[in-house]
Amino acid sequence: MEKTHKSGFVNIVGNPNVGKSTFINSFAGKACTKTGNKPGVTKGKQWIRFNKELELLDTPGILWPKFDDQKVGLHIAMIGSINEDILDQNELAIKLLDYMMTNYNIELKDNYNDCGHMIFSNNQKTFQGGSGAGCSAAIMASEAGAKVLIATKLRPGDANTMMAEGGIQAADKPNDSPAQHYLDCYGGGHFDGKPELVYTLVNKAPSVIKWLNDLGVEFDKMEDGTMVTTHGGGTSRKRMHACKDYSGAEIMRTLRDEVLNRPDQITVVDFTAAVEIIKNDKGEACGAVLMNVETGELRIAKAKVVIIATGGAGRMHYQGFPTSNHYGATADGLVMAYRAGAKLLYQDSLQYHPTGAAYPSQILGKLVTEKVRSLGAKLINKNGEVYIHPLETRDVNASGIIREVREGRGVENGVQTAVWLDTPMIEMIHGEGTILKSIPAMYNMFIKYGIDIRKEPILVYPTLHYQNGGVEINATCHSDVANLLVAGEASGGVHGTNRLMGNSLLDVVVFGREAGIEAGKMFKNISLTDTNKLTLKHVKDFEAERDKAGIKGDVVSPKVFPTYYHGNPEFEGKAIPGASK
C-alpha cells in the first residue's frame, strides 16, 4: 500500500480499480445529494476530485485501503482529513467518518445497502451469531421495543443448535421438580457449575418448554396431548422432551422463522462474521467490526448492547478428534470477548460425546444421539461384553470407550477403532417400527451406506461435541465487560465441567431469552457512543501483552472457518484433523 502525506493530510492510495463504479454510484452519489456537489468536481474543498484512475488528488481525502493478502480489495471510501500518521485502518476509517458526518451533514442510514462500502449501522443491540441463543435473544429484545441486528457468518440456523438431536430437559412432570433437575445438573457437572446459573437453568426450563410449544415447536406427544419424556445420561427422572431425533433442527426452525417474521424489528446480515468487539473511551462494548466472508469488506456496527452467541469450538479439532459440530464452530466469540477484557471459565473443559459415528469414513464424527441408548441400545466391545451402563454421564461413557480401544478390546474397521452400539436391541425391547418412529434421522444417516440399524449394530467412538467452558457470565448473562452479554455455548459456568444430555438446547433458549430480556431493559438507558470515541485500543493492548509474555506466532484469530486439505496432493502424508488414519 502506498502512503502519501500532503498538506498535513494522510492520503492512502490502494487499489483504485476494484469497485470504482459502485463507489461513485452508491456512496459518492448519496453524499453529493446531501452536499449539492457532483463526483469529480471540487467545490470549496467540500468534496473529492478524482482522476481517471480514481486515485486521490487533493484534500479532503479519500481512504481507499487494500489488504495485500486478499485478491479483492477492502473498499472503504470516506471524506475527511487527519493530521497524524497512519493508524490502524479501522481507527482511521472511524475518524474520517466522524469528520465527514460533522462537516458535511451526511446522514448515515441504518440499512446496510444505503451506506456504500464502509458501512456504519446504528443499532440498539447487535447480536453475533444466528444460533438458538442469538435468535432467542433477538426475539425477546424486540419484544421490549429494541431494533436488533443479527450478524451471522453463515446463515441464520447454521449453528450447533441445528445439529442437536436427542432433546431438551425440563422438570414438568408430577414426579419431577426443578430441585431434582438441579441435583442432576450440578452433580453431573462435577459440582463445578455456578450455582446461580444452574438455578436459573432448571427453574426457567418448564416455562421455556411452554414458550417453544406456543411458538410452534412440534414436540413428541401422546394422543391426549401430554408430552413424551425419556431418560438421558445422568438423569434421575424422565424429563427429555424431543421432536423425534430432529429436536435441535425443529427448535432452530421455529426460532429462525420467528426472527424472520419480524423484519421491522430484527435485521439479519448473513455471511458476515464478527471479528472484533469495539469499545468506547469508557471501556464499554459499543459495537463490532464485521467482515463479509465472501468479499472481505469490513463493516462497522454501533450498538448500545452487544450479545455474543457464537457457539462452540468443535472445528478446532482439539486433540485431533473428529467433531459433530457445524462448520462455523471455531471459538471466535471467546477470542473476541477475551481480547475485549472478559474472563473465561473452564476453557480447558471440553465434552467428547461418547457415540460419534466411527464407520464409514463419510460420516466419521457425526453424532449418534444419546436417545439411541436411552431407547435400550448397549455399548459392546469386540468380545461381546456389555462393559458399562449405556446411560452413564457422557464423560464416563466416552472415557470407557477410549479405554476399551486402548486396551485392545476395540473393533478394527479401517477407519477408526471403535466399539459396537447394539441398535437392533431397540426393537427387541420396544417392538418393530420403533426406530423409524423415534430415531428416523439415525436410520437415514446409516442406510445411505447400506447399514440398516434395525438389523445390524453400528460402530461408535467419541467425537468432539461441546465446549463446557466459555466466557464467564452471571445470571443475567453479563460478562466482565460493560454492555457485553454472552449466551449459549459461548458462555461458561452453566454446566460446570461436564454437561448432561438435553441441557444444551435448554441452555441456549433459557439464557438466550435472559440475555434478550436484560438487553431490552438496558438499551433504554444507554446512548449510542459518538463515532469519534470508538476504539480498538484493547486489541493493541492485547498484542502488547502477548509480546511481553513472549508469545509468538502468526496465526490469524479469531478463526472464522476451519481449514481442511482432504484430497489435496500437496498435503498428502500430513496429519488431517478429524481422521485417525
Side-chain angles (χ1 to χ4, degrees):
M1 181 180 295
E2 177 187 350
K3 301 178 182 179
T4 60
H5 295 256
K6 209 161 42 169
S7 303
F9 298 91
V10 174
N11 306 322
I12 302 181
V13 180
N15 183 350
N17 297 313
V18 181
K20 62 182 179 181
S21 61
T22 303
F23 166 73
I24 292 176
N25 293 334
S26 64
F27 198 101
K30 291 180 182 299
C32 288
T33 299
K34 295 287 185 180
T35 61
N37 297 322
K38 297 179 181 178
V41 177
T42 300
K43 181 179 180 181
K45 291 189 177 180
Q46 290 183 358
W47 190 232
I48 303 171
R49 181 158 60 95
F50 303 100
N51 68 7
K52 63 181 180 180
E53 296 297 330
L54 264 183
E55 294 178 348
L56 178 67
L57 286 184
D58 57 10
T59 59
I62 171 174
L63 173 66
W64 196 297
K66 170 183 176 292
F67 285 157
D68 294 334
D69 60 346
Q70 294 182 353
K71 293 181 179 179
V72 180
L74 170 67
H75 320 311
I76 303 180
M78 291 295 160
I79 309 170
S81 65
I82 188 168
N83 293 311
E84 51 189 296
D85 289 336
I86 297 292
L87 303 174
D88 175 88
Q89 290 188 11
N90 288 315
E91 292 185 11
L92 182 55
I94 289 169
K95 288 179 179 291
L96 291 172
L97 176 61
D98 185 62
Y99 180 92
M100 182 183 73
M101 294 173 65
T102 301
N103 293 281
Y104 293 91
N105 192 30
I106 296 174
E107 179 184 2
L108 292 180
K109 305 293 185 182
D110 282 346
N111 190 321
Y112 274 157
N113 297 324
D114 289 339
C115 301
H117 288 95
M118 179 58 184
I119 299 163
F120 267 70
S121 179
N122 293 340
N123 302 281
Q124 291 164 342
K125 271 165 289 302
T126 295
F127 298 93
Q128 299 158 20
S131 61
C135 288
S136 297
I139 292 167
M140 299 312 296
S142 69
E143 290 282 349
K147 293 289 186 180
V148 177
L149 171 72
I150 295 179
T152 176
K153 63 183 173 183
L154 291 167
R155 302 164 299 176
D158 287 332
N160 284 347
T161 304
M162 181 69 78
M163 313 293 283
E165 296 169 345
I168 177 171
Q169 286 202 46
D172 58 0
K173 291 297 178 70
N175 70 332
D176 203 357
S177 70
Q180 193 65 44
H181 189 181
Y182 183 100
L183 293 175
D184 290 348
C185 180
Y186 193 53
H190 304 304
F191 305 97
D192 290 327
K194 294 182 70 173
E196 66 272 25
L197 299 184
V198 182
Y199 180 88
T200 299
L201 180 78
V202 302
N203 279 283
K204 299 286 185 180
S207 60
V208 157
I209 294 295
K210 183 181 185 305
W211 183 67
L212 291 172
N213 186 67
D214 291 345
L215 284 179
V217 173
E218 297 183 4
F219 288 109
D220 296 341
K221 297 177 182 177
M222 301 177 187
E223 291 184 1
D224 64 358
T226 302
M227 291 192 184
V228 175
T229 53
T230 59
H231 271 300
T235 62
S236 60
R237 301 289 188 276
K238 292 182 178 181
R239 68 173 70 96
M240 203 67 55
H241 302 67
C243 312
K244 299 191 183 317
D245 53 349
Y246 294 102
S247 301
E250 173 60 12
I251 290 172
M252 191 69 250
R253 175 196 67 80
T254 305
L255 295 173
R256 180 184 58 196
D257 286 353
E258 186 66 22
V259 164
L260 297 179
N261 284 335
R262 300 177 180 223
D264 294 337
Q265 298 166 288
I266 304 174
T267 299
V268 178
V269 183
D270 54 12
F271 299 103
T272 301
V275 294
E276 213 66 76
I277 301 297
I278 298 174
K279 298 171 76 174
N280 60 23
D281 55 345
K282 299 178 183 177
E284 301 166 333
C286 59
V289 179
L290 310 177
M291 182 183 75
N292 185 308
V293 298
E294 297 177 305
T295 67
E297 292 173 306
L298 290 185
R299 303 180 173 193
I300 306 299
K302 292 203 302 181
K304 296 180 178 180
V305 182
V306 179
I307 299 180
I308 291 177
T310 50
R315 291 291 168 169
M316 302 301 287
H317 293 289
Y318 299 119
Q319 299 190 77
F321 273 74
T323 185
S324 61
N325 285 189
H326 84 109
Y327 189 66
T330 57
D332 43 357
L334 275 61
V335 172
M336 290 185 288
Y338 187 64
R339 282 208 286 244
K343 292 181 181 178
L344 302 184
L345 183 66
Y346 301 140
Q347 194 43 45
D348 61 328
S349 179
L350 299 157
Q351 181 170 94
Y352 297 86
H353 194 289
T355 53
Y359 183 90
S361 60
Q362 293 93 328
I363 54 173
L364 177 66
K366 291 277 285 185
L367 183 64
V368 176
T369 174
E370 196 163 317
K371 191 173 182 180
V372 175
R373 285 174 284 133
S374 73
L375 288 170
K378 310 294 184 184
L379 291 165
I380 300 173
N381 63 24
K382 75 173 185 179
N383 299 325
E385 300 166 333
V386 179
Y387 62 89
I388 198 170
H389 192 287
L391 290 181
E392 290 285 357
T393 55
R394 288 179 174 178
D395 55 341
V396 173
N397 259 320
S399 60
I401 293 173
I402 293 171
R403 182 194 64 192
E404 293 299 301
V405 169
R406 287 184 176 177
E407 294 182 1
R409 295 185 292 275
V411 180
E412 298 287 346
N413 56 70
V415 178
Q416 169 64 66
T417 307
V419 299
W420 294 110
L421 184 59
D422 188 11
T423 50
M425 179 67 72
I426 294 172
E427 298 206 339
M428 293 177 65
I429 296 171
H430 301 286
E432 186 175 348
T434 301
I435 285 177
L436 290 180
K437 179 181 178 182
S438 300
I439 48 172
M442 291 297 95
Y443 173 83
N444 291 332
M445 184 167 77
F446 282 93
I447 199 65
K448 293 176 183 177
Y449 306 102
I451 301 171
D452 188 342
I453 67 172
R454 299 172 300 179
K455 300 176 181 179
E456 53 186 314
I458 57 178
L459 289 164
V460 295
Y461 189 80
T463 183
L464 182 54
H465 184 58
Y466 191 81
Q467 177 178 270
N468 292 324
V471 182
E472 186 171 5
I473 61 171
N474 63 16
T476 51
C477 301
H478 284 272
S479 70
D480 291 326
V481 178
N483 301 340
L484 179 64
L485 310 183
V486 186
E489 194 173 348
S491 69
V494 179
H495 309 288
T497 50
N498 182 57
R499 178 180 63 76
L500 299 186
M501 172 190 180
N503 277 346
S504 60
L505 283 176
L506 181 60
D507 174 6
V508 300
V509 182
V510 166
F511 288 100
R513 279 171 49 89
E514 290 301 301
I517 291 169
E518 181 68 8
K521 298 174 183 176
M522 293 170 62
F523 87 94
K524 299 171 184 177
N525 301 313
I526 300 173
S527 298
L528 280 173
T529 299
D530 291 339
T531 305
N532 62 357
K533 294 182 179 178
L534 302 180
T535 179
L536 293 173
K537 181 179 180 296
H538 56 281
V539 180
K540 293 184 177 180
D541 291 343
F542 176 80
E543 291 302 321
E545 288 294 323
R546 274 172 45 95
D547 291 342
K548 184 178 178 181
I551 300 173
K552 305 295 182 182
D554 57 0
V555 176
V556 176
S557 68
K559 191 176 184 68
V560 177
F561 293 120
T563 303
Y564 296 120
Y565 304 111
H566 297 68
N568 189 330
E570 181 181 350
F571 298 96
E572 285 184 2
K574 295 184 179 180
I576 298 173
S580 62
K581 294 187 178 181

